[in-house]
Amino acid sequence: MSYQIITDSCCDFPNGTYAGLKLVKVPLSVEFRGQVYDDKNDDSLKEMYDGLRAGESAKTSAINPDRWARAMEGVLAAGEDVLVMAFSSGLSTTYQSAVIAAEELREKYPERKIFVVDTLSASMGQGLLVWYACRKRDEGMPLEELYAWAEDAKLHLCHWFTVDDLMYLKRGGRISAATAVVGTMLQIKPVLHMDDEGHLISMAKARGRKASIDALVRKVGELGQDYDNSTMFISHGDCLEDAEYLASQLREKCGAKEVIISYVGAVIGSHSGPGTVALFFLGKHR
């Protein structure tokens, strides 16, 4: 029996990548400047990031059960099973909505198999997990084995990132106003990661932008030595030059052969803000 991998737009893949990986994508939504549109990841994001820099804001909406159900049912009705890989439950209700949809559809399609993975991941971290899953699917891994692999591998998917402007983290409740003000004055840049519950956690502080990006590179040496990290992913909040500097360091110091760079998409970028640089790789733990 064949199966289909379904994921959501918080993978932050460029728009054309989903078709290339034979994925079904279900988008979250964004409201910006009075218009609501599906999450996106292309050069038009520069307009949103410029607006955020100018003090504008964006609102985001999770995927509801009905939208998940429509995507799943299209696959089930065609006679295929389903593996859903959803945005972290620590940051969104998107995963819980997928579970609700799956429960309803199991009653309607009792002969089909439906598995739902809480990736506990975000942005190109979720993307890297999905990318590996697609490779294993194409190598012939059965659905049940791929589900078990994803449940184990997600806790080895390292997310390490830094931001250029602490005020976006303050608005999102990640740090206090006092910390944001003092840190901005002293040019303190936080180094954060995503923990095993899928939450964003501040782990360290660096003095200056370059130092914070170099700290991301060191994490690969600390955590990823026993894993194949010939391919690593980077996402950025409209700061391509910084992302390319990080990629050059990964090639020089970590032996990376392929570094894939993408925007932080509209949904996640509206919360993390311009200047975010995030690195994703495999490691002994998160």
Side-chain angles (χ1 to χ4, degrees):
M1 291 291 183
S2 62
Y3 60 90
Q4 175 69 58
I5 299 175
I6 302 177
T7 192
D8 57 69
S9 60
C10 285
C11 284
D12 283 350
F13 285 134
N15 291 342
T17 300
Y18 296 91
L21 292 174
K22 295 177 286 187
L23 289 165
V24 172
K25 179 186 78 168
V26 185
L28 285 77
S29 60
V30 181
E31 181 180 348
F32 180 63
R33 292 179 176 170
Q35 294 186 330
V36 178
Y37 55 86
D38 284 345
D39 193 10
K40 60 184 178 180
N41 196 314
D42 55 36
D43 287 342
S44 67
L45 279 171
K46 291 185 70 67
E47 180 181 356
M48 186 192 80
Y49 279 113
D50 286 343
L52 293 174
R53 289 186 180 100
E56 297 180 68
S57 61
K59 296 180 181 179
T60 62
S61 298
I63 300 168
N64 62 35
D66 182 63
R67 196 161 193 180
W68 273 123
R70 292 199 302 271
M72 293 184 210
E73 187 159 22
V75 175
L76 298 167
E80 292 187 301
D81 297 327
V82 167
L83 174 65
V84 176
M85 302 183 71
F87 182 33
S88 173
S89 63
L91 298 174
S92 172
T93 60
T94 290
Y95 163 73
Q96 286 86 351
S97 292
V99 170
I100 292 169
E103 286 296 327
E104 295 174 353
L105 289 169
R106 287 189 185 104
E107 295 181 8
K108 188 173 181 179
Y109 296 90
E111 74 283 6
R112 299 263 64 86
K113 297 174 184 175
I114 308 171
F115 293 96
V116 183
V117 176
D118 178 0
T119 67
L120 299 172
S121 299
S123 191
M124 289 285 274
Q126 180 181 341
L128 185 56
L129 187 68
V130 171
W131 181 80
Y132 274 114
C134 289
R135 288 182 61 184
K136 292 183 179 297
R137 174 204 61 198
D138 294 345
E139 291 166 359
M141 182 175 282
L143 173 58
E144 291 87 345
E145 289 183 26
L146 184 56
Y147 170 69
W149 172 87
E151 286 291 337
D152 175 70
K154 67 188 185 184
L155 296 181
H156 297 278
L157 206 300
C158 301
H159 300 56
W160 287 87
F161 68 103
T162 187
V163 298
D164 195 38
D165 187 341
L166 291 164
M167 293 304 173
Y168 293 99
L169 292 177
K170 179 187 77 68
R171 291 169 198 159
R174 301 296 174 188
I175 60 175
S176 69
T179 298
V181 171
V182 173
T184 299
M185 291 174 60
L186 298 177
Q187 281 294 294
I188 297 297
K189 308 298 181 183
V191 177
L192 306 98
H193 89 133
M194 183 171 279
D195 67 12
D196 286 353
E197 285 74 48
H199 300 112
L200 305 182
I201 304 295
S202 181
M203 297 296 290
K205 298 179 178 69
R207 181 67 64 87
R209 179 68 160 175
K210 182 176 180 293
S212 67
I213 295 174
D214 289 342
L216 306 183
V217 178
R218 289 195 294 274
K219 288 299 175 183
V220 180
E222 293 174 16
L223 299 172
Q225 288 186 344
D226 297 329
Y227 290 78
D228 179 5
N229 281 303
S230 55
T231 298
M232 289 185 259
F233 283 8
I234 295 171
S235 58
H236 68 94
D238 197 32
C239 52
L240 180 58
E241 185 175 331
D242 289 335
E244 289 178 337
Y245 168 74
L246 173 57
S248 71
Q249 294 299 295
L250 295 173
R251 295 187 186 98
E252 177 184 336
K253 298 179 179 179
C254 304
K257 296 178 181 177
E258 182 179 29
V259 182
I260 297 175
I261 299 174
S262 179
Y263 272 107
V264 178
V267 164
I268 296 177
S270 67
H271 297 288
S272 59
T276 300
V277 178
L279 172 61
F280 309 99
F281 60 94
L282 294 174
K284 57 187 176 182
H285 58 77
R286 286 196 163 192

